[in-house]
Amino acid sequence: MTQLANRVDTVAPASAQPSAAPKPKGPFCGLIDSVLVHDPVLETFQGSVNAHAAQGIWTWVTRDICNDIIPADRIASGALTPAEVEAALPEMLGRMKAALAQGLADVEGARRLSAQLGGDETRQHLPTVMLALRNRALLGKAQAFGKATNSISDENALAAAIKAMPLQEPALAALVFHAALGQAGNPTILVLAAIKLSGAATEVSVRRAGLGPLLDAYIAHAQNQLRFFEGNGPFADVDLICRALERFHKLVRSLTGYIEFSRGSQATATLSAITKYVSDRLEPRLKEVVTDLNQAMRRRENADRLDTEKLFAAVGGIFLLATVRDCRDSLALNSVFEQAWNQSGQALEIHIQRTMDTYRQDPEDANTIARLDAVIQMAQVRFSAEYAETLKRARHAAEKRS
C-alpha cells in the first residue's frame, strides 16, 4: 500500500552505496533465523528465541565448547557458511547437551553456565535453540508451508495440513508455527482453519485443540514489529514503519477479529501491552505532522531556502497518517489520529493553494517546484488520486501560460 519509496528526488536523501565488505552472518549462520525475534521483547514465547540471546549462545558455542571445530578466523571474516555449521552440528549439539546437563546438575553449575552465556535469560533460551537446530529441516518445511498458504483456497486442505503439525509436542509445534507464520502473507486464513479444527471461535477451544502455539505465534510476530517503531529523526525509514504497522495490523486483527479472548487471559494482556507500545510511539509522530508540514512549506520572502529535512518529514508524516487511518482498529490512537487527520487536511489545502499561486508567478523557481511536487504527492495520499491529477493539470496549464 505504501509508496513512500517513490517520493520525489528533491525530498529523499541520497542512499548509501552498498559495501563491498562481506556481510556478517547471524547466529548459527542463519540456520534458525526463522524463529528469531528482536528487541524489544515484552513477552517471551515458547516458539521464538530472542536474537540477542541466540547470538550469546552462538558466541558461547564457538568460543567455549566448539572452538576446535568452528574456525574463529572464518567467523571473524564472515566467511563461515551454513554448510560448515551443518557439518559440525552433530558434534556441536552433543557438546551443547552435555554442557546443559552439567549446568542443570546443581546451583553452582547453573551459575557458571549463566555467566558463560551472558545471563539467566540467555540460558533459558538454550533448550529452545537446541530444539530448533535439531529440527532445522522441519523449520524449512514449515516456511514452505507458510508460503503455500498464500495460494491455498481450500479450507479443508489447510485444516488437514495444520492437523499434520506435531501438535502432540507443544515446544516443537510452537517453533513450527512461528516459522510458518513468518511467510504467510494472509494470516487470517490460518486462524479460520484453526477455528474450523477446534469447533469454536474462542481462545479456550483453540488451545484445547492443541493450537495454542499458533495463537502465540501470531502475538510473537506482532510483537516482533515493535523494533521498527523505535527509529527517530527526519530520515527515519517511514516506509519501513508503515509496512511494519500494516503487518502488525494484519496479525492483530486476524486474532481479535475472529477469536474471542478471555478478559483475563495472558494473550489479552500481551496484546494490550504491545498495542499500547506501538500507539505510544506513533502518537508523537502524528502530533508533529502538521508542524512539519507548515515548516516545510514556509517560504522565506527575502532569501528563500528549501528545508529538505522538513519536506522529507512532511511527506513521510502524511504517508504514516494514511497508514494509521487504515490500521487504527489495532491501535489506541483515535482522538490523536482524528485531530491530526483533520488538521493536516486543512493545512495541506492552504499550502496547495499558496504554492500553486507562487508557481504561477514564477514557474522556474526550483524551490517552488520542489514544494509543488511534494504537495501533489501528499494530496494524492491525504485526499485522492483524482485530486492529485487535478493539481497536475493545473500545473501543466500554468506551464503552458508561462
Side-chain angles (χ1 to χ4, degrees):
M1 181 183 71
T2 60
Q3 298 176 355
L4 191 58
N6 297 326
R7 62 175 68 90
V8 291
D9 292 339
T10 56
V11 180
S15 59
Q17 293 296 322
S19 173
K23 294 182 179 180
K25 297 289 196 305
F28 300 94
C29 277
L31 294 182
I32 59 170
D33 279 2
S34 61
V35 295
L36 297 186
V37 294
H38 301 266
D39 288 328
V41 176
L42 307 184
E43 180 72 24
T44 300
F45 292 92
Q46 193 175 28
S48 58
V49 178
N50 185 299
H52 179 74
Q55 185 60 52
I57 294 171
W58 174 237
T59 300
W60 166 70
V61 166
T62 56
R63 181 195 62 206
D64 296 341
I65 65 173
C66 292
N67 52 24
D68 57 328
I69 58 175
I70 302 292
D73 57 335
R74 292 187 63 76
I75 298 174
S77 65
L80 188 68
T81 65
E84 290 177 276
V85 179
E86 284 269 9
L89 266 180
E91 178 65 21
M92 184 188 302
L93 283 168
R95 297 184 186 187
M96 291 171 72
K97 181 179 180 181
L100 178 60
Q102 186 177 3
L104 296 177
D106 53 51
V107 175
E108 182 59 25
R111 187 194 64 79
R112 284 197 302 270
L113 183 58
S114 293
Q116 291 172 341
L117 288 168
D120 290 338
E121 183 180 351
T122 302
R123 176 171 61 85
Q124 291 168 2
H125 279 290
L126 183 54
T128 306
V129 168
M130 294 170 61
L131 183 63
L133 288 170
R134 283 196 297 268
N135 294 278
R136 59 198 178 280
L138 186 57
L139 296 182
K141 293 179 180 178
Q143 287 183 289
F145 166 70
K147 289 180 181 178
T149 62
N150 299 324
S151 57
I152 293 177
S153 57
D154 186 346
E155 194 173 291
N156 291 325
L158 187 59
I162 291 177
K163 199 172 182 179
M165 297 290 188
L167 302 181
Q168 304 306 315
E169 301 177 61
L172 181 55
L175 289 170
V176 169
F177 280 128
H178 189 96
L181 188 58
Q183 301 297 320
N186 179 18
T188 300
I189 192 172
L190 287 170
V191 170
L192 295 176
I195 292 172
K196 183 179 181 67
L197 284 171
S198 61
T202 65
E203 178 189 5
V204 173
S205 298
V206 173
R207 291 191 182 277
R208 187 182 295 127
L211 295 172
L214 177 60
L215 302 184
D216 293 341
Y218 274 78
I219 303 174
H221 274 282
Q223 180 179 240
N224 201 31
Q225 307 306 310
L226 302 186
R227 55 189 163 137
F228 298 112
F229 303 105
E230 297 294 299
N232 292 308
F235 297 119
D237 194 336
V238 180
D239 195 49
L240 186 62
I241 294 171
C242 290
R243 291 199 303 270
L245 182 54
E246 290 169 347
R247 181 64 174 172
F248 175 85
H249 174 65
K250 279 185 178 181
L251 291 163
V252 172
R253 292 305 294 170
S254 294
L255 290 181
T256 59
Y258 296 92
I259 301 288
E260 180 183 343
F261 286 90
S262 304
R263 178 174 294 181
S265 72
Q266 183 63 34
T268 300
T270 305
L271 284 169
S272 177
I274 62 178
T275 297
K276 183 179 186 302
Y277 190 98
V278 173
S279 301
D280 287 348
R281 274 144 189 81
L282 290 176
E283 182 175 339
R285 295 175 181 273
L286 298 188
K287 290 181 177 179
E288 293 171 358
V289 170
V290 176
T291 301
D292 288 339
L293 176 59
N294 290 334
Q295 292 179 353
M297 302 309 297
R298 186 176 63 225
R299 186 174 182 274
R300 284 78 171 173
E301 292 299 330
N302 296 326
D304 189 28
R305 180 181 63 85
L306 187 70
D307 191 334
T308 55
E309 287 190 8
K310 286 298 180 183
L311 200 58
F312 181 85
V315 174
I318 294 296
F319 271 88
L320 179 60
L321 194 58
T323 305
V324 170
R325 176 196 57 186
D326 295 336
C327 302
R328 58 179 171 167
D329 287 345
S330 301
L331 301 168
L333 289 168
N334 285 339
S335 60
V336 175
F337 164 76
E338 291 293 347
Q339 183 178 12
W341 184 256
N342 293 331
Q343 290 181 350
S344 67
Q346 296 167 4
L348 186 55
E349 285 184 328
I350 293 172
H351 290 304
I352 288 171
Q353 186 61 52
R354 289 178 179 174
T355 306
M356 189 65 75
D357 290 344
T358 304
Y359 181 76
R360 291 189 181 102
Q361 297 170 11
D362 185 4
E364 301 297 326
D365 182 71
N367 290 345
T368 302
I369 292 172
R371 292 189 182 106
L372 188 56
D373 286 339
V375 294
I376 290 175
Q377 187 177 19
M378 287 187 279
Q380 180 173 344
V381 176
R382 174 58 182 81
F383 300 121
S384 66
E386 292 76 14
Y387 188 13
E389 284 300 319
T390 301
L391 295 177
K392 291 176 183 178
R393 288 194 295 270
R395 173 181 181 170
H396 183 63
E399 289 175 353
K400 292 178 67 175
R401 284 195 297 271
S402 66

